[in-house]
Amino acid sequence: MSVLVVGSVAFDSIETPFGARREIVGGAATYFSLAASYFTKVGIVAAVGDDFRDDHLALLNRRGIDLSGLERAKGETFRWAGRYHFDLNTRDTLDTRLGVFADFKPKVPERLRKPGSLFLANIDPDLQHDVLTQVERPALVGCDTMNFWIEGKLDSLKRTLKKVDVLVINDGESRQLAGEPNLVRAAGAIRSMGPTTLIVKRGEFGAAAFSNSGIFAIPALLLDSVVDPTGAGDSFAGGFMGYLAKHAERKAIDDVMMRRAIAMGSVMASFCVQSFGVEGLLDLDPARIQQRYDDFRALSHIDGA
Amino acid sequence: MSVLVVGSVAFDSIETPFGARREIVGGAATYFSLAASYFTKVGIVAAVGDDFRDDHLALLNRRGIDLSGLERAKGETFRWAGRYHFDLNTRDTLDTRLGVFADFKPKVPERLRKPGSLFLANIDPDLQHDVLTQVERPALVGCDTMNFWIEGKLDSLKRTLKKVDVLVINDGESRQLAGEPNLVRAAGAIRSMGPTTLIVKRGEFGAAAFSNSGIFAIPALLLDSVVDPTGAGDSFAGGFMGYLAKHAERKAIDDVMMRRAIAMGSVMASFCVQSFGVEGLLDLDPARIQQRYDDFRALSHIDGA
């Protein structure tokens, strides 16, 4: 089963206590597709400017990502600049320039209109909805969003959520979307809006999932070197959706598979944060991924009795 | 194996978004000993004032806790007042009145001087050290501390830590004590100060443990009703030390037992936060505790492969 992602491709300028990078390739769709590419065939629908060069494209090409839906428009690629604080848990946005992303109207090319699964990364919920009307209903629809849309376009977001299977957002967004400080009750409210499953990204504290099977929660891997958290959430979503796309070919998505997929999302996020930008996602191999997945299972394992 | 705890017994006045209580029995030694009492014989060394009545004592007597080390001094019992914010993750201290706790000099009575294990709850590290000199070296020494002592009495704290097996503190305290923002590296630095094992309490995000066996991490149970986080950390420590005291009678403390003890600590903390003050720790039974422990193991379980 393939996965199609719609979202941003961007140039990021990042400062952390461990160094800085200027105008490196980033964006939700980039992180997502690189992470997912280790599990399944991935296509991107996004827009970049005419400053997005062939060596930038090469990053995605190397991983065999279908770029037929990557529109090259006249103007500048979306740029974001941010600075992380000492403990990496908080950051300040220093600059945002939307460039061609301001007028982005996703157009899914003919060849990508029957995706096995679809991930609507964090963009305007009206655009997310528009994409859903362009494709044949995939077996699985995942979605991300943020406080900006919860505050500014709640009705549009709710219309999109009705067609979403898995919503992947963070703690604060979950509480805000539900208007409820208790996460368990917030999850109940959100699941009544459409998504069967809510996955709550908790940053360095891992993830929690709420579904018909109950509650699942895991910590994140504890790493002795974390240099740049940018893209961790999108890498998580890419590993998660990629794993499901790979394994749902042969069997239905049940609780066991869902838990493994969430663990694999955490594994891909852990590779992401150990290097700047997408670096940590470029040269992985199945053995390294499996090793870390095994480490991850061992991390929280409690022997019976 | 028994457990002896040295720490505060207090009157707490607590405001949370879910209600308020005035001058209810609290304090680290109270929460700790109630939680531990479900697993082993517990003794307390602490001081209260002459305003601490028999009905207050009854709370601890009911659970069979040895109060021969609970000194009743002339004056007021230690009082603390605090208000929790909407999401319960942060709180403001509204008032602290040390009362008889200001001159507290722990005196371990003769009958408690050979404890199987010892927990030094958060008090002046010089007093913690003094207690260590009063008892026969227990099989296991646990210890808590806080930013106040890390900032004000670091040398004394380091002297105490040399004699401690398991340090149980939170994220921020770990980073502060080690002077290192990365938790894995902070744990390495702290373990070189004395404790073989560092357990990091992460509040609603669970706990992480660093030992010779590597890293263990678990989320906290996700509960649909949390009304008062006061005492969660001390209940955790009580469940943890109590479980070890019970099971280390028959076998050595290995990684498997340590992981189970940490899970049991989390279970006792989860009971604590569902009611105000110590209420949630008063009327438990082995079946309820075991049921929640099983729920807890299921929470993070990932099937093989």
Side-chain angles (χ1 to χ4, degrees):
Chain A
M1 186 160 113
S2 64
V3 56
L4 178 66
V5 58
V6 184
S8 61
V9 173
F11 288 131
D12 290 341
S13 295
I14 300 162
E15 293 173 41
T16 87
F18 306 101
R21 295 290 186 279
R22 274 194 56 75
E23 306 210 335
I24 55 175
V25 178
T30 307
Y31 285 100
F32 180 97
S33 58
L34 288 171
S37 71
Y38 290 93
F39 305 96
T40 189
K41 188 103 191 94
V42 188
I44 283 189
V45 170
V48 291
D50 43 25
D51 52 357
F52 203 84
R53 298 186 314 263
D54 287 349
D55 58 312
H56 298 130
L57 284 175
L59 278 181
L60 299 162
N61 269 323
R62 257 167 74 189
R63 293 289 322 145
I65 293 158
D66 187 323
L67 301 176
S68 60
L70 185 67
E71 185 191 344
R72 241 172 176 176
K74 208 171 160 50
E76 281 203 330
T77 299
F78 176 32
R79 277 169 168 75
W80 175 82
R83 181 187 294 138
Y84 289 86
H85 298 188
F86 195 51
D87 70 357
L88 297 177
N89 285 330
T90 49
R91 71 182 184 193
D92 299 321
T93 290
L94 302 177
D95 193 22
T96 304
R97 281 184 281 159
L98 289 177
V100 300
F101 202 61
D103 302 311
F104 176 48
K105 294 276 177 299
K107 278 184 289 291
V108 182
E110 182 66 37
R111 61 185 280 183
L112 296 177
R113 284 189 201 153
K114 291 181 185 177
S117 59
L118 171 66
F119 191 73
L120 304 164
N122 169 35
I123 54 172
D124 184 327
D126 285 327
L127 298 183
Q128 292 176 324
H129 191 267
D130 188 52
V131 169
L132 284 166
T133 65
Q134 293 180 45
V135 297
E136 224 174 71
R137 210 319 174 169
L140 188 75
V141 177
C143 180
D144 187 6
T145 192
M146 71 186 292
N147 53 356
F148 184 76
W149 307 118
I150 296 169
E151 288 155 21
K153 279 206 166 186
L154 188 57
D155 288 343
S156 294
L157 179 59
K158 284 188 171 171
R159 185 179 61 155
T160 297
L161 289 180
K162 282 192 185 126
K163 299 180 174 175
V164 164
D165 301 305
V166 184
L167 180 65
V168 186
I169 54 180
N170 71 29
D171 280 64
E173 289 155 357
S174 303
R175 294 180 163 117
Q176 187 180 22
L177 177 55
E180 161 63 54
N182 179 282
L183 197 59
V184 178
R185 288 201 298 261
I190 290 169
R191 292 179 61 231
S192 75
M193 295 176 191
T196 321
T197 301
L198 170 70
I199 299 183
V200 179
K201 297 178 284 185
R202 311 169 104 187
E204 69 163 324
F205 299 114
F210 302 84
S211 70
N212 290 335
S213 308
I215 305 179
F216 172 58
I218 44 172
L221 271 167
L222 289 132
L223 304 165
D224 62 5
S225 167
V226 176
V227 304
D228 174 18
T230 311
D234 301 308
S235 304
F236 173 91
F240 168 73
M241 294 286 291
Y243 184 93
L244 288 182
K246 178 176 178 183
H247 293 277
E249 299 252 295
R250 286 175 291 114
K251 56 179 296 222
I253 298 174
D254 59 8
D255 186 47
V256 170
M257 192 191 291
M258 191 62 96
R259 286 174 175 234
R260 289 177 182 163
I262 292 167
M264 196 56 91
S266 302
V267 163
M268 299 312 287
S270 78
F271 285 120
C272 173
V273 301
Q274 289 191 295
S275 306
F276 273 95
V278 298
E279 262 173 61
L281 298 175
L282 297 179
D283 296 303
L284 298 172
D285 58 60
R288 263 185 85 196
I289 292 172
Q290 184 63 41
Q291 178 59 55
R292 192 163 283 193
Y293 178 84
D294 293 342
D295 291 349
F296 192 80
R297 283 191 62 224
L299 174 70
S300 302
H301 180 74
I302 302 167
D303 248 36
Chain B
M1 187 161 113
S2 64
V3 56
L4 177 66
V5 57
V6 184
S8 60
V9 173
F11 287 131
D12 291 341
S13 295
I14 300 162
E15 294 173 40
T16 86
F18 307 101
R21 295 290 185 278
R22 274 194 55 75
E23 306 209 336
I24 55 176
V25 177
T30 306
Y31 284 100
F32 180 98
S33 58
L34 288 171
S37 72
Y38 290 93
F39 306 96
T40 190
K41 187 105 191 94
V42 188
I44 284 188
V45 171
V48 292
D50 43 27
D51 52 359
F52 204 84
R53 299 186 314 263
D54 287 348
D55 57 314
H56 299 130
L57 284 175
L59 277 181
L60 298 162
N61 270 324
R62 257 168 73 188
R63 294 289 320 145
I65 294 158
D66 187 322
L67 301 176
S68 60
L70 184 68
E71 184 192 343
R72 241 173 178 177
K74 207 171 160 52
E76 281 204 330
T77 299
F78 176 32
R79 278 169 168 76
W80 176 82
R83 181 187 294 137
Y84 289 86
H85 298 188
F86 195 50
D87 70 357
L88 297 177
N89 285 329
T90 49
R91 70 181 186 194
D92 299 321
T93 290
L94 302 177
D95 193 22
T96 304
R97 281 184 281 159
L98 289 177
V100 299
F101 203 60
D103 302 311
F104 177 48
K105 295 275 177 299
K107 278 183 289 291
V108 183
E110 181 65 37
R111 60 185 280 182
L112 297 177
R113 284 187 201 154
K114 292 181 184 178
S117 59
L118 171 65
F119 190 73
L120 305 164
N122 170 34
I123 54 172
D124 184 328
D126 284 328
L127 299 183
Q128 291 176 325
H129 191 269
D130 187 53
V131 169
L132 283 166
T133 65
Q134 295 180 44
V135 297
E136 223 174 73
R137 207 329 172 163
L140 188 74
V141 177
C143 180
D144 187 7
T145 191
M146 72 185 293
N147 52 356
F148 183 76
W149 308 118
I150 297 170
E151 288 154 23
K153 280 207 165 186
L154 188 57
D155 288 342
S156 294
L157 179 58
K158 284 187 172 172
R159 184 179 62 154
T160 296
L161 289 181
K162 280 190 188 129
K163 299 181 176 177
V164 163
D165 301 304
V166 183
L167 180 64
V168 186
I169 54 179
N170 71 30
D171 281 63
E173 288 156 358
S174 303
R175 294 180 164 116
Q176 187 180 22
L177 177 55
E180 161 62 54
N182 179 282
L183 196 60
V184 178
R185 289 201 298 262
I190 290 169
R191 293 179 60 230
S192 75
M193 296 176 191
T196 321
T197 301
L198 170 69
I199 299 182
V200 179
K201 296 178 284 185
R202 310 170 104 186
E204 68 161 325
F205 300 114
F210 301 84
S211 70
N212 291 335
S213 308
I215 306 178
F216 172 58
I218 45 172
L221 270 168
L222 289 131
L223 304 165
D224 62 5
S225 168
V226 176
V227 304
D228 175 17
T230 310
D234 300 307
S235 305
F236 173 92
F240 168 74
M241 294 286 291
Y243 184 94
L244 288 182
K246 177 177 179 182
H247 294 276
E249 298 254 293
R250 285 175 292 115
K251 56 180 295 224
I253 297 175
D254 59 7
D255 187 46
V256 169
M257 192 191 292
M258 192 61 97
R259 286 174 175 232
R260 289 177 183 164
I262 292 167
M264 196 56 91
S266 302
V267 163
M268 299 312 287
S270 78
F271 284 120
C272 173
V273 301
Q274 289 191 296
S275 306
F276 272 94
V278 298
E279 262 173 61
L281 298 174
L282 297 179
D283 296 303
L284 298 171
D285 58 62
R288 262 185 86 195
I289 293 172
Q290 184 62 42
Q291 177 60 55
R292 191 163 284 194
Y293 179 84
D294 293 343
D295 291 348
F296 192 79
R297 283 192 62 226
L299 175 69
S300 302
H301 180 74
I302 302 168
D303 247 36

